[in-house]
Amino acid sequence: VTVSDTEVHLTPLEFRLLVAFVRNPDQVLSRDQLLELVWGDASGVAADQVKLYVGYLRRKLEPALDGAQMPITTVRGFGYRYTSTAA
């Protein structure tokens, strides 16, 4: 993945998570929706996995953003939103 002309190395799961966000811009995606979109079969997946992997993805994207606003935001009580115009 390239962000602001900087190559960002993602694991396959982090890439699927980013794809889920990019395909649903400006929509709030709940934990359950992300589990379905990214993990497919959510059985056996801990509820905190979404939070954990969103954190991983943010940490990898942040240096490449070069001071630009993080496009993935937390919507408390609902889930996460990817804003395509943030980066």
Side-chain angles (χ1 to χ4, degrees):
V1 172
T2 303
V3 178
S4 301
D5 297 325
T6 302
E7 192 172 319
V8 178
H9 297 279
L10 302 177
T11 66
L13 199 135
E14 291 165 346
F15 180 77
R16 290 193 310 268
L17 183 59
L18 181 59
V19 167
F21 282 126
V22 171
R23 287 186 176 164
N24 297 282
D26 302 316
Q27 295 180 36
V28 177
L29 298 174
S30 70
R31 178 188 60 83
D32 290 337
Q33 287 173 305
L34 287 169
L35 281 171
E36 183 178 320
L37 291 169
V38 177
W39 279 262
D41 180 13
S43 63
V45 178
D48 289 342
Q49 290 288 357
V50 172
K51 182 179 178 181
L52 181 69
Y53 276 90
V54 168
Y56 290 159
L57 184 58
R58 284 175 171 160
R59 280 192 290 277
K60 288 186 177 183
L61 294 177
E62 189 171 30
L65 291 171
D66 197 30
Q69 182 180 352
M70 173 59 66
I72 302 168
T73 56
T74 301
V75 180
R76 290 196 182 261
F78 295 100
Y80 301 92
R81 176 186 296 128
Y82 174 83
T83 305
S84 58
T85 58

